[in-house]
Amino acid sequence: THQVQQHAQQGQQQQQQLCTLLLQQLDALGWQYMRQLVPDLSTLCLQLHDAAGRLHTAELQLPADFPVSAPAVTVHLPKAFKLKWLPGHTLSQLVQQLEQVGHAKRIMAVETAADLKGVLQQLTRVLCNTTLASRCFPARLTSCSAQDLL
């Protein structure tokens, strides 16, 4: 029974240490990210916005030896998220990685839009210089531009 009591005390100490650590990290991160914390401290849900302003929830399964070991992260983003974790990393560093994924997604969207604009401009040049344009857009031939064709 003495060993059982000692084991229970160790478990309580670890739980208190984890609670203190999480409070410190959430203070540093900012409580606006906090969505939910399971009472046994095994799961933490954070909410964050991507570059387009959409809300995302990241569920973190905290291992018993957090932050030595990385939390398991479940988040639904259009781009895959792979956590890079070193012992001692913080929730702030995790959120920075998640936000970088959102920022990279926005950059990709801007590049895709720029590529699309280039394709549309090429298409416009080709269409404006063909007989197809004169048949399809006879009233617009005097000033043929992407705006006229779209």
Side-chain angles (χ1 to χ4, degrees):
T1 58
H2 179 63
Q3 285 182 332
V4 172
Q5 287 176 336
Q6 194 175 21
H7 185 68
Q9 285 176 341
Q10 285 177 335
Q12 284 179 331
Q13 281 182 324
Q14 288 175 337
Q15 193 78 353
Q16 288 172 346
Q17 289 171 347
L18 179 59
C19 183
T20 301
L21 176 71
L22 285 175
L23 289 173
Q24 290 170 347
Q25 289 197 16
L26 287 166
D27 279 341
L29 173 65
W31 286 90
Q32 72 273 14
Y33 289 96
M34 181 67 167
R35 180 159 185 217
Q36 181 183 10
L37 178 61
V38 174
D40 69 359
L41 306 178
S42 64
T43 304
L44 170 70
C45 292
L46 301 176
Q47 61 184 14
L48 41 124
H49 292 84
D50 65 15
R54 291 179 295 260
L55 183 66
H56 297 278
T57 300
E59 182 180 290
L60 313 178
Q61 298 289 324
L62 302 175
D65 63 344
F66 177 83
V68 174
S69 295
V73 180
T74 304
V75 62
H76 299 286
L77 294 171
K79 185 178 175 188
F81 175 71
K82 181 155 173 59
L83 177 63
K84 295 174 186 156
W85 190 268
L86 295 173
H89 268 189
T90 64
L91 294 176
S92 293
Q93 291 163 314
L94 184 146
V95 167
Q96 285 175 342
Q97 289 181 47
L98 285 166
E99 288 175 339
Q100 286 174 353
V101 169
H103 181 67
K105 182 181 152 273
R106 178 142 188 179
I107 290 170
M108 286 177 13
V110 168
E111 289 171 354
T112 302
D115 291 343
L116 178 61
K117 183 178 179 185
V119 169
L120 289 174
Q121 288 172 340
Q122 280 183 312
L123 185 60
T124 300
R125 281 192 295 273
V126 170
L127 284 175
C128 287
N129 295 323
T130 65
T131 55
L132 176 63
S134 63
R135 280 187 251 140
C136 295
F137 309 104
R140 297 181 181 175
L141 269 181
T142 55
S143 64
C144 190
S145 70
Q147 286 293 352
D148 292 330
L149 293 175
L150 300 175

mmCIF file of all heavy atoms in Angstrom, residues 40-75:
data_model
loop_
_atom_site.group_PDB
_atom_site.id
_atom_site.type_symbol
_atom_site.label_atom_id
_atom_site.label_comp_id
_atom_site.label_asym_id
_atom_site.label_seq_id
_atom_site.Cartn_x
_atom_site.Cartn_y
_atom_site.Cartn_z
ATOM 1 N N ASP A 40 -8.377 16.277 -17.387
ATOM 2 C CA ASP A 40 -7.196 15.467 -17.041
ATOM 3 C C ASP A 40 -5.930 15.952 -17.762
ATOM 4 O O ASP A 40 -4.871 15.334 -17.663
ATOM 5 C CB ASP A 40 -7.448 13.987 -17.314
ATOM 6 C CG ASP A 40 -7.546 13.648 -18.801
ATOM 7 O OD1 ASP A 40 -7.439 14.561 -19.654
ATOM 8 O OD2 ASP A 40 -7.731 12.462 -19.115
ATOM 9 N N LEU A 41 -6.032 17.056 -18.485
ATOM 10 C CA LEU A 41 -4.926 17.704 -19.196
ATOM 11 C C LEU A 41 -4.334 16.863 -20.324
ATOM 12 O O LEU A 41 -3.229 17.110 -20.780
ATOM 13 C CB LEU A 41 -3.802 18.118 -18.223
ATOM 14 C CG LEU A 41 -4.213 18.988 -17.033
ATOM 15 C CD1 LEU A 41 -3.015 19.273 -16.145
ATOM 16 C CD2 LEU A 41 -4.866 20.270 -17.488
ATOM 17 N N SER A 42 -5.077 15.883 -20.797
ATOM 18 C CA SER A 42 -4.570 15.030 -21.868
ATOM 19 C C SER A 42 -4.829 15.618 -23.248
ATOM 20 O O SER A 42 -4.138 15.283 -24.207
ATOM 21 C CB SER A 42 -5.202 13.641 -21.788
ATOM 22 O OG SER A 42 -6.609 13.741 -22.011
ATOM 23 N N THR A 43 -5.829 16.496 -23.333
ATOM 24 C CA THR A 43 -6.207 17.060 -24.629
ATOM 25 C C THR A 43 -6.447 18.556 -24.498
ATOM 26 O O THR A 43 -7.102 19.013 -23.564
ATOM 27 C CB THR A 43 -7.494 16.401 -25.159
ATOM 28 O OG1 THR A 43 -7.278 14.981 -25.206
ATOM 29 C CG2 THR A 43 -7.842 16.891 -26.548
ATOM 30 N N LEU A 44 -5.916 19.277 -25.457
ATOM 31 C CA LEU A 44 -6.031 20.726 -25.507
ATOM 32 C C LEU A 44 -6.469 21.094 -26.910
ATOM 33 O O LEU A 44 -5.920 20.583 -27.885
ATOM 34 C CB LEU A 44 -4.658 21.339 -25.187
ATOM 35 C CG LEU A 44 -4.438 22.819 -25.383
ATOM 36 C CD1 LEU A 44 -5.214 23.604 -24.332
ATOM 37 C CD2 LEU A 44 -2.959 23.138 -25.263
ATOM 38 N N CYS A 45 -7.457 21.948 -27.023
ATOM 39 C CA CYS A 45 -7.904 22.420 -28.338
ATOM 40 C C CYS A 45 -7.598 23.904 -28.458
ATOM 41 O O CYS A 45 -7.964 24.694 -27.589
ATOM 42 C CB CYS A 45 -9.395 22.180 -28.533
ATOM 43 S SG CYS A 45 -9.819 20.443 -28.657
ATOM 44 N N LEU A 46 -6.929 24.250 -29.536
ATOM 45 C CA LEU A 46 -6.597 25.638 -29.823
ATOM 46 C C LEU A 46 -7.352 26.065 -31.068
ATOM 47 O O LEU A 46 -7.598 25.262 -31.959
ATOM 48 C CB LEU A 46 -5.091 25.798 -30.068
ATOM 49 C CG LEU A 46 -4.166 25.386 -28.927
ATOM 50 C CD1 LEU A 46 -2.710 25.507 -29.372
ATOM 51 C CD2 LEU A 46 -4.413 26.228 -27.701
ATOM 52 N N GLN A 47 -7.713 27.341 -31.117
ATOM 53 C CA GLN A 47 -8.352 27.865 -32.324
ATOM 54 C C GLN A 47 -7.461 28.960 -32.900
ATOM 55 O O GLN A 47 -6.884 29.752 -32.170
ATOM 56 C CB GLN A 47 -9.749 28.390 -32.029
ATOM 57 C CG GLN A 47 -9.827 29.526 -31.047
ATOM 58 C CD GLN A 47 -11.256 29.917 -30.756
ATOM 59 O OE1 GLN A 47 -12.188 29.197 -31.074
ATOM 60 N NE2 GLN A 47 -11.439 31.062 -30.154
ATOM 61 N N LEU A 48 -7.329 28.943 -34.209
ATOM 62 C CA LEU A 48 -6.540 29.961 -34.880
ATOM 63 C C LEU A 48 -7.134 30.261 -36.232
ATOM 64 O O LEU A 48 -7.919 29.486 -36.770
ATOM 65 C CB LEU A 48 -5.078 29.537 -35.000
ATOM 66 C CG LEU A 48 -4.780 28.106 -35.348
ATOM 67 C CD1 LEU A 48 -3.915 28.008 -36.561
ATOM 68 C CD2 LEU A 48 -4.061 27.509 -34.158
ATOM 69 N N HIS A 49 -6.761 31.405 -36.753
ATOM 70 C CA HIS A 49 -7.268 31.852 -38.046
ATOM 71 C C HIS A 49 -6.163 31.732 -39.081
ATOM 72 O O HIS A 49 -5.009 32.046 -38.796
ATOM 73 C CB HIS A 49 -7.744 33.305 -37.955
ATOM 74 C CG HIS A 49 -8.946 33.468 -37.100
ATOM 75 N ND1 HIS A 49 -8.875 33.602 -35.729
ATOM 76 C CD2 HIS A 49 -10.266 33.482 -37.402
ATOM 77 C CE1 HIS A 49 -10.079 33.711 -35.231
ATOM 78 N NE2 HIS A 49 -10.949 33.643 -36.216
ATOM 79 N N ASP A 50 -6.538 31.298 -40.284
ATOM 80 C CA ASP A 50 -5.549 31.251 -41.359
ATOM 81 C C ASP A 50 -5.445 32.623 -42.008
ATOM 82 O O ASP A 50 -6.111 33.578 -41.581
ATOM 83 C CB ASP A 50 -5.872 30.138 -42.366
ATOM 84 C CG ASP A 50 -7.164 30.364 -43.126
ATOM 85 O OD1 ASP A 50 -7.705 31.497 -43.108
ATOM 86 O OD2 ASP A 50 -7.647 29.403 -43.754
ATOM 87 N N ALA A 51 -4.611 32.734 -43.024
ATOM 88 C CA ALA A 51 -4.362 34.019 -43.671
ATOM 89 C C ALA A 51 -5.625 34.604 -44.299
ATOM 90 O O ALA A 51 -5.742 35.816 -44.452
ATOM 91 C CB ALA A 51 -3.270 33.864 -44.729
ATOM 92 N N ALA A 52 -6.596 33.762 -44.629
ATOM 93 C CA ALA A 52 -7.851 34.241 -45.215
ATOM 94 C C ALA A 52 -8.891 34.549 -44.147
ATOM 95 O O ALA A 52 -10.020 34.900 -44.463
ATOM 96 C CB ALA A 52 -8.396 33.200 -46.195
ATOM 97 N N GLY A 53 -8.524 34.393 -42.869
ATOM 98 C CA GLY A 53 -9.441 34.707 -41.783
ATOM 99 C C GLY A 53 -10.358 33.568 -41.376
ATOM 100 O O GLY A 53 -11.233 33.753 -40.532
ATOM 101 N N ARG A 54 -10.180 32.376 -41.950
ATOM 102 C CA ARG A 54 -11.021 31.233 -41.585
ATOM 103 C C ARG A 54 -10.543 30.646 -40.268
ATOM 104 O O ARG A 54 -9.351 30.573 -40.015
ATOM 105 C CB ARG A 54 -10.977 30.177 -42.689
ATOM 106 C CG ARG A 54 -11.666 30.622 -43.974
ATOM 107 C CD ARG A 54 -11.571 29.538 -45.034
ATOM 108 N NE ARG A 54 -10.193 29.341 -45.421
ATOM 109 C CZ ARG A 54 -9.646 29.847 -46.523
ATOM 110 N NH1 ARG A 54 -10.371 30.547 -47.349
ATOM 111 N NH2 ARG A 54 -8.380 29.625 -46.798
ATOM 112 N N LEU A 55 -11.499 30.202 -39.454
ATOM 113 C CA LEU A 55 -11.203 29.626 -38.153
ATOM 114 C C LEU A 55 -10.876 28.141 -38.281
ATOM 115 O O LEU A 55 -11.581 27.401 -38.963
ATOM 116 C CB LEU A 55 -12.402 29.805 -37.213
ATOM 117 C CG LEU A 55 -12.225 29.319 -35.787
ATOM 118 C CD1 LEU A 55 -11.178 30.151 -35.061
ATOM 119 C CD2 LEU A 55 -13.555 29.401 -35.053
ATOM 120 N N HIS A 56 -9.793 27.716 -37.637
ATOM 121 C CA HIS A 56 -9.388 26.316 -37.612
ATOM 122 C C HIS A 56 -9.176 25.909 -36.159
ATOM 123 O O HIS A 56 -8.726 26.700 -35.343
ATOM 124 C CB HIS A 56 -8.085 26.092 -38.386
ATOM 125 C CG HIS A 56 -8.212 26.402 -39.836
ATOM 126 N ND1 HIS A 56 -8.729 25.510 -40.743
ATOM 127 C CD2 HIS A 56 -7.903 27.515 -40.533
ATOM 128 C CE1 HIS A 56 -8.720 26.058 -41.946
ATOM 129 N NE2 HIS A 56 -8.233 27.273 -41.844
ATOM 130 N N THR A 57 -9.503 24.665 -35.860
ATOM 131 C CA THR A 57 -9.277 24.124 -34.524
ATOM 132 C C THR A 57 -8.204 23.055 -34.607
ATOM 133 O O THR A 57 -8.272 22.156 -35.437
ATOM 134 C CB THR A 57 -10.573 23.513 -33.955
ATOM 135 O OG1 THR A 57 -11.565 24.543 -33.889
ATOM 136 C CG2 THR A 57 -10.349 22.952 -32.568
ATOM 137 N N ALA A 58 -7.220 23.174 -33.735
ATOM 138 C CA ALA A 58 -6.153 22.178 -33.640
ATOM 139 C C ALA A 58 -6.328 21.441 -32.322
ATOM 140 O O ALA A 58 -6.361 22.057 -31.265
ATOM 141 C CB ALA A 58 -4.789 22.854 -33.690
ATOM 142 N N GLU A 59 -6.465 20.129 -32.422
ATOM 143 C CA GLU A 59 -6.584 19.305 -31.225
ATOM 144 C C GLU A 59 -5.223 18.707 -30.909
ATOM 145 O O GLU A 59 -4.604 18.085 -31.767
ATOM 146 C CB GLU A 59 -7.609 18.190 -31.432
ATOM 147 C CG GLU A 59 -7.798 17.333 -30.193
ATOM 148 C CD GLU A 59 -8.820 16.235 -30.398
ATOM 149 O OE1 GLU A 59 -10.014 16.570 -30.505
ATOM 150 O OE2 GLU A 59 -8.404 15.071 -30.461
ATOM 151 N N LEU A 60 -4.757 18.923 -29.702
ATOM 152 C CA LEU A 60 -3.455 18.425 -29.273
ATOM 153 C C LEU A 60 -3.648 17.354 -28.214
ATOM 154 O O LEU A 60 -4.283 17.596 -27.190
ATOM 155 C CB LEU A 60 -2.614 19.553 -28.669
ATOM 156 C CG LEU A 60 -2.544 20.886 -29.429
ATOM 157 C CD1 LEU A 60 -1.714 21.888 -28.672
ATOM 158 C CD2 LEU A 60 -1.998 20.678 -30.815
ATOM 159 N N GLN A 61 -3.111 16.179 -28.487
ATOM 160 C CA GLN A 61 -3.088 15.104 -27.498
ATOM 161 C C GLN A 61 -1.727 15.200 -26.814
ATOM 162 O O GLN A 61 -0.698 14.975 -27.453
ATOM 163 C CB GLN A 61 -3.248 13.740 -28.178
ATOM 164 C CG GLN A 61 -4.559 13.555 -28.903
ATOM 165 C CD GLN A 61 -5.723 13.408 -27.941
ATOM 166 O OE1 GLN A 61 -5.599 12.817 -26.881
ATOM 167 N NE2 GLN A 61 -6.859 13.963 -28.322
ATOM 168 N N LEU A 62 -1.747 15.573 -25.541
ATOM 169 C CA LEU A 62 -0.500 15.804 -24.826
ATOM 170 C C LEU A 62 0.023 14.510 -24.207
ATOM 171 O O LEU A 62 -0.688 13.866 -23.439
ATOM 172 C CB LEU A 62 -0.715 16.852 -23.730
ATOM 173 C CG LEU A 62 -1.235 18.210 -24.203
ATOM 174 C CD1 LEU A 62 -1.532 19.103 -23.015
ATOM 175 C CD2 LEU A 62 -0.262 18.867 -25.151
ATOM 176 N N PRO A 63 1.271 14.156 -24.515
ATOM 177 C CA PRO A 63 1.843 12.964 -23.886
ATOM 178 C C PRO A 63 2.184 13.256 -22.424
ATOM 179 O O PRO A 63 2.301 14.417 -22.022
ATOM 180 C CB PRO A 63 3.109 12.713 -24.712
ATOM 181 C CG PRO A 63 3.486 14.054 -25.238
ATOM 182 C CD PRO A 63 2.191 14.794 -25.452
ATOM 183 N N ALA A 64 2.379 12.223 -21.658
ATOM 184 C CA ALA A 64 2.675 12.381 -20.227
ATOM 185 C C ALA A 64 3.963 13.174 -19.999
ATOM 186 O O ALA A 64 4.072 13.892 -19.006
ATOM 187 C CB ALA A 64 2.769 11.012 -19.568
ATOM 188 N N ASP A 65 4.904 13.087 -20.934
ATOM 189 C CA ASP A 65 6.175 13.794 -20.752
ATOM 190 C C ASP A 65 6.270 15.080 -21.585
ATOM 191 O O ASP A 65 7.352 15.552 -21.894
ATOM 192 C CB ASP A 65 7.347 12.864 -21.055
ATOM 193 C CG ASP A 65 7.371 12.397 -22.491
ATOM 194 O OD1 ASP A 65 6.340 12.528 -23.196
ATOM 195 O OD2 ASP A 65 8.413 11.891 -22.927
ATOM 196 N N PHE A 66 5.120 15.673 -21.919
ATOM 197 C CA PHE A 66 5.108 16.964 -22.616
ATOM 198 C C PHE A 66 5.841 17.983 -21.756
ATOM 199 O O PHE A 66 5.660 18.006 -20.558
ATOM 200 C CB PHE A 66 3.652 17.413 -22.841
ATOM 201 C CG PHE A 66 3.536 18.769 -23.479
ATOM 202 C CD1 PHE A 66 3.640 18.905 -24.840
ATOM 203 C CD2 PHE A 66 3.343 19.901 -22.712
ATOM 204 C CE1 PHE A 66 3.534 20.157 -25.436
ATOM 205 C CE2 PHE A 66 3.249 21.149 -23.295
ATOM 206 C CZ PHE A 66 3.339 21.281 -24.650
ATOM 207 N N PRO A 67 6.710 18.799 -22.293
ATOM 208 C CA PRO A 67 7.048 19.078 -23.684
ATOM 209 C C PRO A 67 8.275 18.327 -24.208
ATOM 210 O O PRO A 67 8.771 18.666 -25.270
ATOM 211 C CB PRO A 67 7.305 20.575 -23.670
ATOM 212 C CG PRO A 67 7.943 20.811 -22.340
ATOM 213 C CD PRO A 67 7.264 19.839 -21.410
ATOM 214 N N VAL A 68 8.744 17.343 -23.470
ATOM 215 C CA VAL A 68 9.874 16.558 -23.973
ATOM 216 C C VAL A 68 9.453 15.845 -25.255
ATOM 217 O O VAL A 68 10.166 15.871 -26.254
ATOM 218 C CB VAL A 68 10.373 15.553 -22.910
ATOM 219 C CG1 VAL A 68 11.438 14.643 -23.489
ATOM 220 C CG2 VAL A 68 10.903 16.303 -21.688
ATOM 221 N N SER A 69 8.281 15.248 -25.232
ATOM 222 C CA SER A 69 7.734 14.594 -26.420
ATOM 223 C C SER A 69 6.685 15.496 -27.055
ATOM 224 O O SER A 69 5.988 16.242 -26.363
ATOM 225 C CB SER A 69 7.095 13.258 -26.046
ATOM 226 O OG SER A 69 8.073 12.363 -25.580
ATOM 227 N N ALA A 70 6.568 15.380 -28.357
ATOM 228 C CA ALA A 70 5.630 16.211 -29.117
ATOM 229 C C ALA A 70 4.189 15.778 -28.889
ATOM 230 O O ALA A 70 3.908 14.593 -28.740
ATOM 231 C CB ALA A 70 5.949 16.114 -30.600
ATOM 232 N N PRO A 71 3.277 16.746 -28.890
ATOM 233 C CA PRO A 71 1.864 16.372 -28.858
ATOM 234 C C PRO A 71 1.456 15.816 -30.223
ATOM 235 O O PRO A 71 2.063 16.139 -31.244
ATOM 236 C CB PRO A 71 1.152 17.695 -28.578
ATOM 237 C CG PRO A 71 2.090 18.749 -29.048
ATOM 238 C CD PRO A 71 3.470 18.189 -28.891
ATOM 239 N N ALA A 72 0.433 14.979 -30.226
ATOM 240 C CA ALA A 72 -0.159 14.541 -31.487
ATOM 241 C C ALA A 72 -1.140 15.633 -31.896
ATOM 242 O O ALA A 72 -1.986 16.041 -31.102
ATOM 243 C CB ALA A 72 -0.869 13.210 -31.295
ATOM 244 N N VAL A 73 -1.010 16.131 -33.116
ATOM 245 C CA VAL A 73 -1.818 17.257 -33.572
ATOM 246 C C VAL A 73 -2.796 16.790 -34.638
ATOM 247 O O VAL A 73 -2.404 16.176 -35.620
ATOM 248 C CB VAL A 73 -0.934 18.387 -34.146
ATOM 249 C CG1 VAL A 73 -1.786 19.555 -34.614
ATOM 250 C CG2 VAL A 73 0.086 18.837 -33.119
ATOM 251 N N THR A 74 -4.064 17.111 -34.419
ATOM 252 C CA THR A 74 -5.093 16.862 -35.425
ATOM 253 C C THR A 74 -5.656 18.213 -35.825
ATOM 254 O O THR A 74 -6.194 18.937 -34.989
ATOM 255 C CB THR A 74 -6.217 15.969 -34.861
ATOM 256 O OG1 THR A 74 -5.648 14.760 -34.376
ATOM 257 C CG2 THR A 74 -7.249 15.666 -35.929
ATOM 258 N N VAL A 75 -5.509 18.549 -37.094
ATOM 259 C CA VAL A 75 -6.019 19.820 -37.603
ATOM 260 C C VAL A 75 -6.415 19.615 -39.055
ATOM 261 O O VAL A 75 -5.767 18.872 -39.783
ATOM 262 C CB VAL A 75 -4.974 20.955 -37.450
ATOM 263 C CG1 VAL A 75 -3.729 20.680 -38.246
ATOM 264 C CG2 VAL A 75 -5.560 22.312 -37.790
#
